Amino acid sequence: MDKVTPVTLEEMKRKGEPIVALTCYDAPTSALLDEAGIDVALVGDSLGNVKLGYENTLPVTVWEMRHYTQAVKRRNSRALLVSDMPYLSYETDPREAARNAGILMKEGGAEAVKVEGGRRILPAIQMILKANVPVMGHLGLTPQSIRRLGGYRVQGRTKENARELIKDAKALEQTGVFAIVLECIPKDLAKRITNTLSIPTIGIGAGRFCDGQILVIDDMLGLSDAPPPKFVKKYASLRTQALKAVLRYRKDVKTRRYPSVEYSY
Ligand code: KIV
């Protein structure tokens, strides 16, 4: 299977072929994504929530992103490997943004980075692109801005907010990002943005008209104990299965049924 690149994704949009993306945080899952032919593996800063037990993505650092990206890289051969730039690693100083993006590429093995925001962060995006790092955008519900947005709410519901999002999407495309994640916006707005742009859109909670879809892998596998957002389709209930297995193991050890002769030397 050929390696997926940003150019591949643009070709897929032109051909009308849906892009399949998932988040990924470790080596075995990376191998699984490759085997399944997933197009984009995103080392999302959602790892703060789903792997590190933080309340949100704000505490995640560049070093944590580098660490998890390295793990994913070790077993990645096909999917485009995108790493999230965490909160405060790019917004305030474009040079620092480029340096941090460079760390994720050079030391982490990322093939592209993702940043949250529109016109507000164009100087950072320009500088990252100057350092030859491909950039994916992220608009709509941007979890690094939850304090300003007032929580995890659907965005783009008002005419004015929708207009701003369309302007942001056009500005990101003009600046040179190769794709944009659209999170939690009404499906008709996502359709409008998707039809306006020549670069692909990848939706999460943004309906079926996007050029591709992404989900947090822990959500779609049912690994979390918290109820997932409305847009998540659960394709498995791994937490329930894992809990059953751990309880059976506990019982076996308590009753000395494990390890029996067949598991002994
Ligand atoms: O951090 C993440 O997992 C993301 C996806 C939800 C797109 O940004």
Side-chain angles (χ1 to χ4, degrees):
M1 279 190 283
D2 286 345
K3 182 76 185 156
V4 178
T5 69
V7 176
T8 318
L9 300 189
E10 290 183 31
E11 280 167 8
M12 288 173 81
K13 171 163 181 141
R14 264 200 306 281
K15 291 184 197 156
E17 186 185 339
I19 296 162
V20 188
L22 276 174
T23 66
C24 186
Y25 316 102
D26 59 43
T29 312
S30 179
L32 194 135
L33 262 53
D34 253 10
E35 201 177 322
I38 298 300
D39 302 311
V40 179
L42 170 70
V43 186
D45 60 354
S46 52
L47 67 84
N49 307 72
V50 298
K51 298 298 172 207
L52 299 177
Y54 298 147
E55 190 191 330
N56 52 49
T57 60
L58 300 184
V60 177
T61 65
V62 172
W63 310 111
E64 286 165 340
M65 292 308 304
R66 183 185 70 161
H67 178 72
Y68 283 83
T69 303
Q70 284 169 339
V72 172
K73 180 71 178 180
R74 286 183 198 116
R75 296 296 303 276
N76 166 277
S77 60
R78 179 184 182 271
L80 175 67
L81 176 46
V82 184
S83 187
D84 252 341
M85 295 202 65
Y87 176 60
L88 274 194
S89 69
Y90 58 97
E91 303 90 325
T92 54
D93 178 356
R95 285 170 161 277
E96 204 184 320
R99 231 181 343 261
N100 286 328
I103 289 170
L104 294 178
M105 281 256 291
K106 194 168 173 166
E107 299 174 23
E111 294 152 4
V113 297
K114 176 166 79 58
V115 289
E116 296 184 6
R119 285 159 288 169
R120 187 173 58 81
I121 57 157
L122 291 186
I125 294 177
Q126 279 157 352
M127 199 60 100
I128 297 170
L129 289 169
K130 262 194 197 165
N132 280 320
V133 180
V135 178
M136 179 182 271
H138 185 160
L139 294 173
L141 171 51
T142 45
Q144 291 172 15
S145 322
I146 46 156
R147 300 289 183 227
R148 181 171 52 81
L149 299 176
Y152 297 98
R153 297 198 177 130
V154 178
Q155 301 295 306
R157 280 206 199 272
T158 66
K159 269 193 182 151
E160 162 144 27
N161 192 209
R163 257 198 309 270
E164 291 302 306
L165 278 174
I166 293 168
K167 279 189 197 162
D168 277 336
K170 285 182 181 165
L172 289 183
E173 173 170 67
Q174 273 161 18
T175 306
V177 311
F178 68 86
I180 303 178
V181 168
L182 297 176
E183 180 163 355
C184 280
I185 62 171
K187 61 181 183 333
D188 291 332
L189 175 59
K191 182 180 184 183
R192 199 161 152 209
I193 295 174
T194 300
N195 291 343
T196 304
L197 303 181
S198 56
I199 56 169
T201 59
I202 301 180
I204 172 162
R208 64 195 180 90
F209 301 114
C210 296
D211 298 302
Q213 298 293 329
I214 185 162
L215 284 174
V216 170
I217 191 158
D218 290 53
D219 289 344
M220 58 87 75
L221 291 180
L223 273 168
S224 162
D225 53 355
K230 170 189 158 107
F231 60 79
V232 173
K233 179 170 173 181
K234 260 169 81 171
Y235 287 83
S237 298
L238 294 194
R239 187 176 190 279
T240 309
Q241 274 181 268
L243 181 61
K244 275 188 196 153
V246 172
L247 285 171
R248 274 178 44 219
Y249 166 70
R250 178 180 183 274
K251 190 172 170 197
D252 279 0
V253 173
K254 291 279 187 195
T255 57
R256 300 196 185 278
R257 217 180 305 156
Y258 178 84
S260 56
V261 176
E262 64 182 309
Y263 297 106
S264 307
Y265 298 105

